[in-house]
Amino acid sequence: MAGLLTNSEKAEKQRQVTLLNKQALKSFAALFYASKRANEKQAQAYWQQVEKIGFPFFRHEEWHYTPLAKVLSAQYQLSNDSVNPMTSEQLRQLAIATDGWQIVLFNGWLIPTLSSDNFGPYQIQMIDTLAQPQTPIVNDEIFLYLTESLAAQPLLIKLAANQQVEKPLYILNITSGSNRADYVNTSHYRYHLEIGANCKSQVIEHFVSIDDKPHLTGSRLTANIGDNSHFSHIKLSVENNQSNHFAHNDILSGRDSQIKSSGIFIGSALLRHHTSVKLNGAGSRLALNSLLLPQNREIVDSRTYLEHNQPFCKSRQLHKTIAQDESKAVFNGMIKVAPPALKTDGQMTNNNLLLGKYAEIDTKPQLEIYADDVKCSHGATVGRIDDEQLFYLRSRGIHLNDAKHMIMVAFAAEVIEAIDNEEISNKVMDIIQQRLAGI
């Protein structure tokens, strides 16, 4: 049958993948042992996990839709230079103007001269052997441990209890390509948040490229949210179309906490993002949203994992995709309801707009329920632009391309409007307008 591999072809493919995985692991090992963190006990433990897990084997279920051959065949280098590489004007062009405290990292290194002089109620320090926080690992995976072991300057961000912070903490992560044609720059960003009880806070992650050269970005954010706290998190990734981005965000909630997390993913050649949340406190509330906009041959793989572990918790998830040209979008979402989590109210929705003739969308929402007296639902839709909507707009004198543009922007607007920061939502809308303008 056409398209199926013979046994000999499977064996050859397995051999090639195994060889590539070994070469890639050897290459990353050389980076780790040459890095400044190679002597840290905790970093060594993370690297042991990298070696234990290894890169995914041929036809690994979790990596079926995410090709890694191009990522693993590159030769990588780490930047060991923490010198300020930019002018204030360059920073202004890359950053989002927002009234808050600013942390700037370049190739994984904190740049004090471009960051705020102080961080108000937040305490910022390096994660080192003397300050190892209890960070949650919900779904372990090799790229998570790569970031943990290769991150140049992991940050510990603390907010003491009873702090009502109106201004956001803005973390700008800037990655550059390599000056050597035969090497690809890889940079890793790591921060852990400890948010005390009865707090209100907002954290913004912003990932950009300073040039159009290939690079590999790894990022990991973990957060422990105290009882009765309101926590808002926004991630905006707009790196260049030659980049690869692998990220893991893990959030643990306390009792009666309210958490909102929104992710906007635009631009990378390959982006794979995990968001994992454990509602460990009774009465917690979660809103988890994302928007994916792949075009050309870009691949975006978004994965969410949510555990309802205590009673009377409520979650709402909305994930949207607009896939253009020959791009691919993947969504894999899981909600687990533990036996103690009575009166759980969970809902997950994945809506997808398929525009390109050769575009592909793969979606897999899942539920696992081990408790009685719960209310959970999940659903996914995949479709093209509605002809009746087009007809309605065309009948009012609107040009065809303008009508399509209006429908697509309206489709994305539901996620954008959920972002509770005006500067960020305006920036996202500008990027989307530009990205969809040519359709």
Side-chain angles (χ1 to χ4, degrees):
M1 185 180 293
L4 296 179
L5 297 177
T6 65
N7 289 336
S8 60
E9 289 173 334
K10 287 181 182 178
E12 175 60 20
K13 190 67 175 178
Q14 289 173 345
R15 187 191 69 81
Q16 293 175 359
V17 171
T18 301
L19 179 61
L20 181 60
N21 288 351
K22 289 181 178 179
Q23 292 173 343
L25 194 59
K26 183 179 179 180
S27 175
F28 280 109
L31 290 183
F32 172 70
Y33 288 112
S35 71
K36 296 182 178 180
R37 299 192 62 208
N39 295 323
E40 295 180 16
K41 186 176 180 180
Q42 188 62 59
Q44 292 171 0
Y46 287 133
W47 179 254
Q48 290 174 3
Q49 288 298 112
V50 172
E51 294 180 325
K52 178 181 177 181
I53 296 173
F55 290 105
F57 52 81
F58 177 57
R59 288 190 170 174
H60 191 294
E61 178 65 24
E62 292 298 313
W63 293 90
H64 182 69
Y65 298 103
T66 311
L68 290 176
K70 189 173 181 180
V71 175
L72 300 184
S73 60
Q75 290 293 317
Y76 293 100
Q77 67 176 20
L78 280 172
S79 172
N80 291 318
D81 190 359
S82 59
V83 176
N84 179 3
M86 293 175 295
T87 64
S88 298
E89 177 60 24
Q90 286 177 308
L91 179 65
R92 188 189 65 80
Q93 294 176 2
L94 292 172
I96 298 173
T98 182
D99 182 19
W101 297 279
Q102 179 172 277
I103 298 175
V104 178
L105 297 105
F106 182 81
N107 288 339
W109 294 90
L110 177 67
I111 309 299
T113 55
L114 298 180
S115 303
S116 298
D117 295 332
N118 68 82
F119 301 100
Y122 292 98
Q123 301 175 28
I124 313 292
Q125 66 183 101
M126 302 298 173
I127 298 178
D128 53 28
T129 55
L130 300 178
Q132 283 292 337
Q134 294 298 315
T135 59
I137 295 179
V138 181
N139 284 310
D140 60 351
E141 185 235 33
I142 185 169
F143 285 95
L144 180 153
Y145 291 111
L146 272 177
T147 293
E148 287 282 13
S149 55
L150 295 177
Q153 289 184 318
L155 298 181
L156 175 59
I157 302 170
K158 290 184 177 181
L159 182 64
N162 305 311
Q163 299 287 328
Q164 302 294 306
V165 185
E166 298 300 330
K167 296 180 180 181
L169 179 65
Y170 174 58
I171 307 174
L172 178 61
N173 307 277
I174 306 169
T175 306
S176 70
S178 172
N179 292 324
R180 299 176 59 180
D182 54 339
Y183 279 83
V184 174
N185 193 36
T186 180
S187 302
H188 297 263
Y189 304 85
R190 172 72 175 102
Y191 15 80
H192 175 70
L193 306 173
E194 285 286 346
I195 306 299
N198 307 309
C199 287
K200 178 183 178 182
S201 62
Q202 182 179 73
V203 174
I204 301 166
E205 294 182 88
H206 187 196
F207 288 84
V208 296
S209 304
I210 198 172
D211 51 43
D212 59 359
K213 298 176 183 178
H215 61 78
L216 171 65
T217 300
S219 75
R220 184 162 191 247
L221 175 146
T222 53
N224 290 328
I225 310 303
D227 295 345
N228 198 38
S229 286
H230 291 231
F231 176 67
S232 172
H233 166 252
I234 302 166
K235 177 168 180 176
L236 175 60
S237 180
V238 285
E239 294 177 317
N240 70 46
N241 60 10
Q242 301 296 312
S243 67
N244 298 303
H245 187 111
F246 293 85
H248 297 78
N249 290 352
D250 294 340
I251 302 173
L252 270 59
S253 80
R255 175 179 48 82
D256 294 320
S257 61
Q258 296 191 35
I259 300 170
K260 178 183 287 186
S261 180
S262 299
I264 312 295
F265 308 119
I266 302 170
S268 298
L270 172 59
L271 184 148
R272 182 175 167 109
H273 193 279
H274 292 250
T275 300
S276 302
V277 181
K278 285 188 175 184
L279 299 180
N280 289 338
S284 296
R285 299 289 185 268
L286 170 70
L288 185 59
N289 306 314
S290 68
L291 178 63
L292 319 179
L293 289 175
Q295 66 179 15
N296 300 320
R297 295 188 176 182
E298 296 169 357
I299 300 173
V300 183
D301 186 340
S302 176
R303 293 167 181 264
T304 66
Y305 176 88
L306 169 61
E307 287 186 6
H308 281 262
N309 292 325
Q310 295 296 326
F312 305 105
C313 292
K314 180 178 180 179
S315 65
R316 291 291 182 268
Q317 298 187 50
L318 177 61
H319 308 282
K320 289 196 170 188
T321 302
I322 302 177
Q324 308 172 43
D325 307 318
E326 300 178 51
S327 65
K328 178 192 288 188
V330 180
F331 173 75
N332 190 314
M334 167 67 79
I335 298 177
K336 282 189 176 182
V337 182
L342 303 177
K343 299 294 184 180
T344 285
D345 182 0
Q347 180 178 308
M348 176 169 55
T349 304
N350 177 223
N351 296 329
N352 304 281
L353 198 55
L354 193 60
L355 299 185
K357 183 178 179 180
Y358 300 103
E360 176 182 337
I361 293 177
D362 303 288
T363 177
K364 186 181 178 182
Q366 304 170 80
L367 291 176
E368 287 188 16
I369 301 175
Y370 302 99
D372 297 324
D373 196 11
V374 303
K375 182 171 64 175
C376 281
S377 66
H378 68 312
T381 62
V382 180
R384 300 189 182 275
I385 292 178
D386 189 280
D387 290 336
E388 291 186 5
Q389 293 177 343
L390 277 178
F391 177 79
Y392 177 86
L393 294 173
R394 294 294 306 282
S395 67
R396 278 147 182 80
I398 299 174
H399 188 274
L400 176 60
N401 289 341
D402 293 336
K404 289 182 178 179
H405 188 261
M406 290 175 63
I407 292 171
M408 289 183 291
V409 171
F411 178 83
E414 189 175 1
V415 174
I416 300 170
E417 289 170 356
I419 298 175
D420 48 3
N421 182 290
E422 186 175 356
E423 290 88 356
I424 301 298
S425 60
N426 289 340
K427 177 67 173 180
V428 171
M429 183 58 77
D430 289 343
I431 293 171
I432 292 173
Q433 295 273 10
Q434 295 171 13
R435 196 165 179 84
L436 300 179
I439 299 177

